[in-house]
Amino acid sequence: MDMKGQINKIVEEISKNPNIREQFEKEPVKVIEKVIGIDLPDDIVMKLIDGVKAKVTIDGVSKAADALKGMFK
């Protein structure tokens, strides 16, 4: 399984749909299995959850930094 590709797929889905993002915050396992379309072992799901949370956080920080840079130009 391409973990990085799956993480990007999930992050993209979360970014496009606020309902899915809200559900991910409450029930990340269900969202991941729904987006990917298969039932995964718990250890893989936990790695995906950690990867998605890290990517969402990094993307959010990056967007905030870009916005701040734009304010000072």
Side-chain angles (χ1 to χ4, degrees), residues 8-22 35 56 59 63:
N8 288 334
K9 178 180 177 180
I10 297 163
V11 169
E12 182 180 326
E13 196 65 36
I14 288 171
S15 299
K16 290 190 302 187
N17 189 331
N19 292 332
I20 292 177
R21 183 182 187 112
E22 184 178 317
V35 170
V56 167
D59 287 351
K63 287 177 186 175

Side-chain angles (χ1 to χ4, degrees), residues 13-69:
E13 196 65 36
I14 288 171
S15 299
K16 290 190 302 187
N17 189 331
N19 292 332
I20 292 177
R21 183 182 187 112
E22 184 178 317
Q23 185 180 5
F24 178 78
E25 292 171 5
K26 295 176 185 174
E27 300 175 303
V29 173
K30 285 185 181 181
V31 170
I32 286 176
E33 290 179 346
K34 179 180 175 183
V35 170
I36 293 176
I38 54 174
D39 185 22
L40 298 168
D42 289 346
D43 60 326
I44 293 175
V45 171
M46 296 313 291
K47 288 178 185 177
L48 287 171
I49 290 169
D50 292 342
V52 169
K53 286 181 179 180
K55 179 121 175 89
V56 167
T57 300
I58 289 170
D59 287 351
V61 169
S62 178
K63 287 177 186 175
D66 289 344
L68 288 172
K69 281 191 249 179

